[in-house]
Amino acid sequence: MSTTSTAAATDSTGSTGPTGSTGSALLRGLDRVTGSSLGRYQTAVLRIGLSFAWVGYLLREWPNRRELYGPAAPWSWGMAHELTGDNHAFTALMWSDSTVWFESVYAFAIVSGVLLMLGWRTRTMAVLSMIGVLSLQNRSVFVGDGGDNVFHLMSLYLILVRCGQVWSLDARRAARRAQAPGRGGGRDGARDVTGIVLWVLCGLALAAAQLLTDTRMMWTDRGPLPGIGWAAALWGLWVVQGLWWLVCRRAPGEPRTVLDMIAHLAHNGALLVIMAEVCLIYATAGWYKIQGSRWQDGTALFYPMHIDYFSPWPSLSHALAASSVVVLLLSYGTVAVQVAFPFTLLDRRVKNVLLALMMAEHVGIAVMLGLPFFSLAMVVADAVFLPTGFLRWVGGAAGRLFPRSRPFPKPGAVPPGPRRGSDPDPGPRSPDGLDTARTR
């Protein structure tokens, strides 16, 4: 459905009153959510920031990895196997208790996180990174500082959003193909050997996981959604990749348009869920604090500042805690900001001010309480509400600070027309081309 058809439908009714205006607005909104992926810069920040925080956490804990998630963990492999047998949580570390397998999964989580951060084969890397996150976190459920919940949830949501449309290697590859359609252009999907090989290897790995290990992956239950097991979910994602490649190669007309609309709807729906999730995190945290007597009398922050475990800078913590006024203002300010944030979304200016205060709060938590990765995860989650103009300005400033010989393409830029005799619609070249597909 296009804007032209929307206007024609409105004109044909001959209605110019409030009802006609409302219907026209609804049609324009429907056309927007099915014809474009909203929040491209915001989802790119989520992809880069969360992957950076996750990989940074894994690298920082590299010397302690075996005590946290491996064979030397107090939460032993047998205890974890018994727990996952009851709650049916997905983790690849339960497929074997060998040290070699643990080291392989840990390295796999780091590599997939780095590739997702760079935006290389973004859709596939989002799935592989999610497997790494769930495998480690569900192996030792008592390891975490609150940020692990954010990583856990966002790793699931990133599968559905098209987070590689800007600031990614996928975007650069798509721009090069659009500018030079004669080189590997057309609908010759076999020319993208890397994408096809990656798709085949993922299918073989998934088949091996089901046939050769005790995966406990069900088809109809005990999965990410009610009625959908992990086997159905992972195989479904694999099939969707192949279906996208097949349609773009053999039927680039109406079927391709329908798939584009479905992809836009999935992206925009997942983005809405992410925004609602962030609001829910702050709303529940704020309202639970209101019920606590220490938060009511304004002394709640005094106590963590005197706990050695949460005091990387004891002298600074004690200096702040020595002032009752500062403790009172910080305690009440924290509750007020968290409770008020969901309501400030109704006003853009107030929302931006409160967003800056919340990010400053998390920076303070990282410094004062020694929780850098929790704070970074929350700051990145907050970034989904940042204005697009500000993010584009930040991207431009970063480009001027670190100039590139081949800069990332600007979203929406019209590439040069195809050379005579070339295919005007390059389309994706592989089953991994969801984020490199040209939006119609």
Side-chain angles (χ1 to χ4, degrees):
M1 182 182 299
S2 63
T3 306
T4 303
S5 62
T6 301
T10 305
D11 293 340
S12 64
T13 61
S15 175
T16 59
T19 303
S21 300
T22 302
S24 178
L26 290 175
L27 290 176
R28 287 196 300 269
L30 180 62
D31 182 62
R32 187 179 183 189
V33 299
T34 58
S36 63
S37 295
L38 307 177
R40 294 175 296 179
Y41 289 93
Q42 288 79 0
T43 53
V45 171
L46 280 177
R47 184 198 84 238
I48 297 171
L50 291 174
S51 300
F52 176 80
W54 173 243
V55 172
Y57 169 76
L58 295 180
L59 293 178
R60 188 194 70 172
E61 300 299 342
W62 179 268
N64 310 311
R65 63 191 184 282
R66 296 187 180 182
E67 288 75 19
L68 292 176
Y69 304 106
W75 188 253
S76 66
W77 188 89
M79 298 168 67
H81 193 273
E82 183 177 355
L83 178 62
T84 55
D86 293 334
N87 61 17
H88 307 287
F90 175 84
T91 169
L93 288 177
M94 291 298 98
W95 299 352
S96 173
D97 59 351
S98 69
T99 302
V100 175
W101 176 245
F102 163 74
E103 297 289 357
S104 301
V105 173
Y106 200 92
F108 169 83
I110 294 176
V111 172
S112 60
V114 171
L115 294 177
L116 179 61
M117 179 175 59
L118 296 176
W120 185 80
R121 308 288 172 173
T122 311
R123 189 71 74 185
T124 299
M125 289 304 125
V127 178
L128 298 182
S129 180
M130 177 207 67
I131 292 175
V133 171
L134 298 184
S135 296
L136 292 176
Q137 290 188 353
N138 291 335
R139 163 63 176 84
S140 297
V141 293
F142 298 107
V143 175
D145 54 11
D148 55 310
N149 294 326
V150 179
F151 292 132
H152 194 115
L153 292 171
M154 296 303 171
S155 66
L156 295 170
Y157 300 148
L158 283 178
I159 295 176
L160 298 176
V161 298
R162 308 177 82 174
C163 54
Q165 292 186 325
V166 297
W167 298 340
S168 68
L169 297 179
D170 283 349
R172 292 183 63 192
R173 186 174 67 250
R176 287 198 302 267
R177 286 175 174 168
Q179 293 171 359
R183 294 164 46 192
R187 299 182 183 89
D188 187 6
R191 295 190 181 184
D192 187 3
V193 179
T194 303
I196 296 176
V197 169
L198 183 62
W199 183 74
V200 172
L201 290 178
C202 288
L204 292 176
L206 185 56
Q210 284 204 279
L211 297 176
L212 304 180
T213 63
D214 180 18
T215 61
R216 298 176 182 267
M217 290 195 301
M218 309 296 292
W219 285 91
T220 57
D221 61 353
R222 303 167 185 175
L225 293 174
I228 299 178
W230 279 109
L234 294 177
W235 278 113
L237 291 171
W238 184 80
V239 170
V240 166
Q241 297 281 53
L243 176 64
W244 185 280
W245 172 82
L246 184 63
V247 168
C248 293
R249 185 184 182 188
R250 300 296 185 184
E254 190 71 19
R256 166 69 182 276
T257 303
V258 172
L259 287 186
D260 271 334
M261 293 175 62
I262 295 175
H264 293 317
L265 280 174
H267 168 96
N268 295 328
L271 181 59
L272 179 61
V273 171
I274 291 173
M275 299 171 71
E277 188 73 45
V278 175
C279 291
L280 185 62
I281 290 174
Y282 283 115
T284 54
W287 286 105
Y288 271 114
K289 286 182 175 66
I290 289 178
Q291 302 175 40
S293 59
R294 299 304 181 190
W295 290 98
Q296 292 175 6
D297 59 28
T299 62
L301 293 181
F302 174 85
Y303 301 99
M305 291 183 180
H306 288 81
I307 299 177
D308 293 338
Y309 184 79
F310 293 108
S311 298
W313 315 98
S315 58
L316 179 59
S317 300
H318 295 166
L320 289 177
S323 174
S324 58
V325 176
V326 172
V327 173
L328 178 68
L329 293 177
L330 290 177
S331 300
Y332 282 171
T334 298
V335 175
V337 167
Q338 293 181 350
V339 172
F341 177 72
F343 302 100
T344 62
L345 299 180
L346 301 176
D347 189 284
R348 180 182 303 177
R349 296 179 180 177
V350 177
K351 180 262 296 181
N352 291 338
V353 172
L354 207 61
L355 197 59
L357 293 177
M358 292 170 59
M359 291 184 174
E361 173 191 335
H362 287 299
V363 172
I365 292 175
V367 176
M368 300 298 301
L369 301 181
L371 300 172
F373 295 104
F374 162 76
S375 299
L376 180 56
M378 289 307 304
V379 168
V380 173
D382 294 341
V384 74
F385 296 101
L386 287 175
T388 301
F390 173 76
L391 293 177
R392 295 181 65 178
W393 176 83
V394 171
R400 291 188 297 269
L401 185 62
F402 304 102
R404 303 177 57 88
S405 58
R406 290 187 297 177
F408 287 109
K410 296 180 179 180
V414 179
R419 292 194 295 267
R420 182 175 300 177
S422 63
D423 192 336
D425 182 15
R429 300 327 192 259
S430 74
D432 189 64
L434 278 176
D435 282 334
T436 63
R438 183 171 65 86
T439 303
R440 297 192 179 206

